[in-house]
Amino acid sequence: MAAALAGTTEVRLQGWLRRGREAIEQGKRSRYTELPQDVEKAKAEYQMGLVELSTAAITDKSLNDKPIRWRLSVASPKDFTVPREAPVAAGNGLGPLFELVTPEQARSRLDEKLARFIEEHDNAEAAAAAPSPG
């Protein structure tokens, strides 16, 4: 859209921007170095306008700020989105609630869990039955 408004092609505009960025990185100053800076300034002014509209929508309930907030979140997700919380582990951290397994796998896992439970139970009983020191 910017290229069309400037009366050129997107390929040519991208070339000018690339040349400008390269010149800036090399510490040179030319007519190309101003272009990337002007483009960044225009983007920032556009984004600031959207922020101002969204802020105005807080008090002016006739404004629908959903498209504005969407545009801001798409243009700059790090600045205008709330990070989603990590999903809570299913089964209270004990593994998935459901899992497809064969009967043999189920029997094997059940035997392992039962053996671990019995061992922990025996250890707890032994600790409770042991005479307290002193």
Side-chain angles (χ1 to χ4, degrees):
M1 187 184 307
L5 289 170
T8 188
T9 65
E10 186 176 346
V11 172
R12 183 167 287 162
L13 178 61
Q14 290 299 327
W16 292 339
L17 288 168
R18 182 184 39 75
R19 287 174 70 173
R21 286 188 211 101
E22 288 171 357
I24 290 170
E25 288 175 8
Q26 295 169 0
K28 298 178 181 176
R29 185 158 175 85
S30 71
R31 62 182 172 174
Y32 294 107
T33 58
E34 293 176 20
L35 182 60
Q37 294 167 344
D38 289 345
V39 168
E40 289 303 312
K41 181 180 177 191
K43 285 180 182 179
E45 288 172 350
Y46 173 71
Q47 192 172 35
M48 190 62 211
L50 292 175
V51 169
E52 289 170 352
L53 273 173
S54 183
T55 303
I58 293 170
T59 56
D60 184 355
K61 298 302 177 190
S62 67
L63 289 174
N64 180 5
D65 69 333
K66 282 186 178 181
I68 298 166
R69 288 184 289 128
W70 173 83
R71 181 64 182 108
L72 287 168
S73 70
V74 169
S76 188
K78 288 193 308 185
D79 297 326
F80 296 102
T81 56
V82 177
R84 295 184 179 197
E85 293 181 20
V88 177
N92 297 326
L94 301 174
L97 293 177
F98 297 100
E99 185 178 351
L100 294 177
V101 294
T102 65
E104 295 79 20
Q105 291 171 322
R107 179 61 189 226
S108 173
R109 289 183 188 170
L110 185 59
D111 289 344
E112 290 170 11
K113 287 182 180 185
L114 181 59
R116 193 169 45 240
F117 172 80
I118 292 171
E119 181 182 347
E120 289 173 4
H121 183 266
D122 289 347
N123 290 343
E125 279 190 347
S132 59

